[in-house]
Amino acid sequence: MFTTDWFFNVLNAASCGAYAVDLDRTILFWNRSAERILGHKAEEVVGLRCCRPLQDLPEEDSTLICLDGCPSVEFARAGLTPPVMHARMLCASGQWKLLAVTPLVTPRTQVDRTVLVRLFHEPDDVAKAGTVARTAGDALGGPPPQAPDGLAVDTPDGAVSLTVRETEVLRLTALGMGTREIASDLHLSTHTVHNYVRNAREKLQARTKLAAVMAAQRLGLL
């Protein structure tokens, strides 16, 4: 088992921004590229909850992502890797910057505690974060995390069958797209998208949209 300090050293030289939080959303690590991209110094943000300096906003909305609890942390608690997403992060200058965020979860079986790492970069530079994520994963030398048997989402005993549209909507949701963006992408009304989400939630016995995505991933439907 590796220590988190060793793992953070792997990320510190990354060309994309990287920060790590524990499951209480306290910032444990902030790399040099994160300082360059957002302007926040490591000594200013380490020890704070991530919502304080960053205040993530989804690409198409003005509601804080973490207002009702961090979706990425909920994925990490379930042993799943959160989806890639686009978010506007607050810079030290007070300006907002649109960034693509690639999460990486280091489970307790590989380091001394479960840590959620978020790699962020310009939206047109996805390959950069993908390379860093693969390098970090290879350094850890372990298999990708699997959903534990105790996942908080209850699923039916029988087989679950989603329609093509329900699957498409959940897959786009897992990529971090909002309702209006999904509706535009699939040439549907927002009301129709809401209906597909509701139907999928009922089939998966999931109380929330996030829980439906997690259940569908667990069952291999996405």
Side-chain angles (χ1 to χ4, degrees):
M1 181 181 294
F2 302 105
T3 65
T4 47
D5 287 342
W6 173 87
F7 181 62
F8 294 159
N9 285 335
V10 173
L11 295 174
N12 204 36
S15 56
C16 63
Y19 72 94
V21 299
D22 60 19
L23 296 186
D24 290 326
R25 293 182 286 165
T26 298
I27 298 176
L28 306 172
F29 165 79
W30 188 268
N31 78 346
R32 289 189 290 268
S33 292
E35 294 186 351
R36 173 179 53 81
I37 295 170
L38 293 177
H40 302 290
K41 300 298 183 184
E43 58 268 23
E44 297 170 346
V45 297
V46 170
L48 298 179
R49 298 191 78 182
C50 53
C51 57
R52 287 184 59 190
L54 299 178
Q55 300 183 34
D56 285 9
L57 290 170
E59 182 176 9
E60 61 171 25
D61 202 349
S62 60
T63 304
L64 293 178
I65 292 174
C66 50
L67 187 63
D68 296 317
C70 177
S72 293
V73 169
E74 293 305 311
F75 271 89
R77 287 184 189 280
L80 298 170
T81 299
V84 175
M85 64 177 294
H86 289 85
R88 285 173 284 157
M89 292 186 180
L90 185 63
C91 300
S93 64
Q95 297 180 322
W96 295 93
K97 180 172 286 190
L98 177 63
L99 298 165
V101 183
T102 302
L104 177 67
V105 177
T106 61
R108 190 178 291 273
T109 55
Q110 293 173 314
V111 293
D112 51 3
R113 54 180 153 170
T114 299
V115 172
L116 170 64
V117 176
R118 302 183 85 200
L119 310 171
F120 54 92
H121 47 90
E122 299 296 334
D124 59 352
D125 201 6
V126 176
K128 181 183 292 185
T131 299
V132 173
R134 286 192 296 274
T135 300
D138 290 343
L140 287 171
Q146 300 295 319
D149 292 338
L151 185 63
V153 179
D154 294 324
T155 54
D157 293 333
V160 176
S161 177
L162 299 177
T163 67
V164 172
R165 279 299 197 196
E166 289 164 357
T167 302
E168 286 178 327
V169 168
L170 286 188
R171 183 176 293 117
L172 294 177
T173 299
L175 293 175
M177 294 174 64
T179 300
R180 290 196 297 273
E181 192 176 4
I182 293 172
S184 175
D185 190 77
L186 297 180
H187 305 290
L188 302 170
S189 69
T190 56
H191 177 73
T192 300
V193 171
H194 281 300
N195 284 341
Y196 282 129
V197 171
R198 185 193 66 234
N199 292 341
R201 283 175 49 208
E202 290 175 353
K203 290 180 179 181
L204 294 163
Q205 297 182 10
R207 292 186 297 275
T208 66
K209 180 166 61 176
L210 173 61
V213 170
M214 294 169 66
Q217 289 185 332
R218 185 190 185 200
L219 295 173
L221 300 176
L222 296 184

